[in-house]
Amino acid sequence: MENFQIIKPSPMLAPYVKHYWFLKANITHSSRTRIVPTGHVCMMFHRGERIFSESDNQFQPQAFISGQEKSFTDLLYTSDLDMICIVFHPIGARVFFKMPMSEINGLRTDIYDLEDRELIDLRKVLEETQSNIQCALLIEQFLFKRIRNLADYNLKRINTAIELINNRQTDIKTLAGASCLSPKQFKRIFTEMVGANPKEYQRVIRFQRALFVLQTQSDINMAQLAFECGYYDQPHLIKEFKVFSGYTPLEYLAMCTPYSDYFS
């Protein structure tokens, strides 16, 4: 049996948090799942047993913040799941944490390694709370206390760039100009706030766009997919798809139902 629920954030947190999701599942036999880069920084709390990451050859921490992912990860489940996840918008996590997001790029950082007493206390109270709604309220109380007084103009600048990237703009000079920054300043601030540099981030978003097109246009051919998503050609699409999912697009369609966590 599986119970999955998404709860949207309150309006004041909505610019920074996409949603919270909750998953409980009874595992009767070991199973594997592959997760792919989504373009989001997430914070995860495992209230059940820890999950084994076959890609890293180690168990995930019980509670951790996951930076921007660079490739796919294979996870092995051997016991019941009870998970809570905070999914941040691209600039969202930086508002609540002191460290630049670039410091956790490609990492799953145990909250105990952050030496953050408030975060450790949140984990403990979530362990003792069964109601998803109540857990979401506790998370929001924590986040409200943590909103940092970052330069609002930088948030707006990088958000402007992200909107352009979402609309297929890739030229760094154009993105920097729209952000009222020099290319050098833009790359530095973008990387600090988002976690990946602009080029790395563009690649992930282009992959997520390909998933969304496959999700919404099931009859599209691979040449059309490559053109619509901004790949140079079909071989480039296939190469990038294998980096981020481990499969070619056709292999992926044979194995999975396409779904974009970013654009959906």
Side-chain angles (χ1 to χ4, degrees):
M1 184 182 73
E2 180 177 303
N3 185 298
F4 180 74
Q5 182 179 11
I6 288 177
I7 296 178
K8 290 291 187 178
S10 59
M12 286 187 64
L13 290 174
Y16 316 114
V17 178
K18 183 174 184 179
H19 56 239
Y20 316 107
W21 61 253
F22 301 81
L23 172 64
K24 291 183 180 180
N26 299 122
I27 305 299
T28 56
H29 57 275
S30 63
S31 59
R32 290 174 175 79
T33 190
R34 178 166 291 183
I35 59 173
V36 299
T38 64
H40 298 292
V41 172
C42 300
M43 187 180 299
M44 186 76 69
F45 300 90
H46 290 295
R47 296 190 296 185
E49 295 297 321
R50 292 191 299 167
I51 293 174
F52 188 75
S53 171
E54 294 188 319
S55 303
D56 302 322
N57 196 33
Q58 62 182 1
F59 283 96
Q60 290 187 340
Q62 202 78 36
F64 61 92
I65 182 168
S66 179
Q68 294 285 349
E69 299 285 359
K70 299 180 179 181
S71 186
F72 62 91
T73 302
D74 289 322
L75 301 178
L76 175 65
Y77 305 92
T78 58
S79 57
D80 292 351
L81 300 178
D82 189 351
M83 302 163 65
I84 301 172
C85 183
I86 307 170
V87 181
F88 296 100
H89 284 304
I91 61 154
R94 183 68 179 93
V95 175
F96 305 103
F97 295 95
K98 293 180 181 180
M99 77 278 194
M101 291 298 103
S102 52
E103 291 186 4
I104 59 170
N105 186 21
L107 302 176
R108 295 170 191 84
T109 303
D110 194 317
I111 64 168
Y112 285 95
D113 292 338
L114 298 176
E115 298 182 348
D116 187 328
R117 175 49 57 187
E118 292 177 342
L119 189 52
I120 292 170
D121 289 343
L122 174 65
R123 184 220 161 187
K124 290 177 179 177
V125 73
L126 291 177
E127 287 272 343
E128 301 167 355
T129 307
Q130 290 303 307
S131 164
N132 292 348
I133 296 293
Q134 187 61 34
C135 284
L137 290 173
L138 291 167
I139 291 168
E140 296 227 317
Q141 289 172 10
F142 166 81
L143 294 176
F144 276 125
K145 294 178 182 177
R146 298 288 290 248
I147 292 180
R148 302 181 62 243
N149 189 24
L150 294 177
D152 186 56
Y153 52 84
N154 276 342
L155 291 175
K156 291 179 178 178
R157 285 169 170 172
I158 302 306
N159 257 338
T160 296
I162 288 168
E163 289 174 6
L164 289 172
I165 292 170
N166 291 345
N167 286 287
R168 299 175 172 80
Q169 178 57 254
T170 59
D171 181 70
I172 296 296
K173 288 185 178 179
T174 300
L175 294 171
S179 306
C180 301
L181 295 166
S182 70
K184 185 176 180 180
Q185 289 174 318
F186 170 69
K187 291 177 185 177
R188 176 180 59 80
I189 295 172
F190 187 100
T191 304
E192 175 187 310
M193 297 188 73
V194 175
N197 68 46
K199 286 295 185 183
E200 291 172 334
Y201 188 73
Q202 286 173 3
R203 290 177 63 205
V204 171
I205 301 310
R206 186 167 49 192
F207 166 70
Q208 281 289 323
R209 181 177 295 111
L211 288 179
F212 186 69
V213 172
L214 289 171
Q215 175 186 333
T216 54
Q217 303 178 42
S218 58
D219 58 345
I220 194 169
N221 64 50
M222 292 302 106
Q224 289 174 315
L225 179 66
F227 175 78
E228 187 163 335
C229 296
Y231 290 98
Y232 180 74
D233 53 21
Q234 191 171 332
H236 187 206
L237 162 70
I238 293 170
K239 180 181 177 181
E240 290 285 276
F241 226 88
K242 291 192 75 170
V243 168
F244 292 123
S245 74
Y247 303 117
T248 68
L250 292 178
E251 289 170 343
Y252 186 93
L253 288 172
M255 298 279 293
C256 314
T257 300
Y259 181 83
S260 168
D261 288 284
Y262 188 86
F263 287 104
S264 297

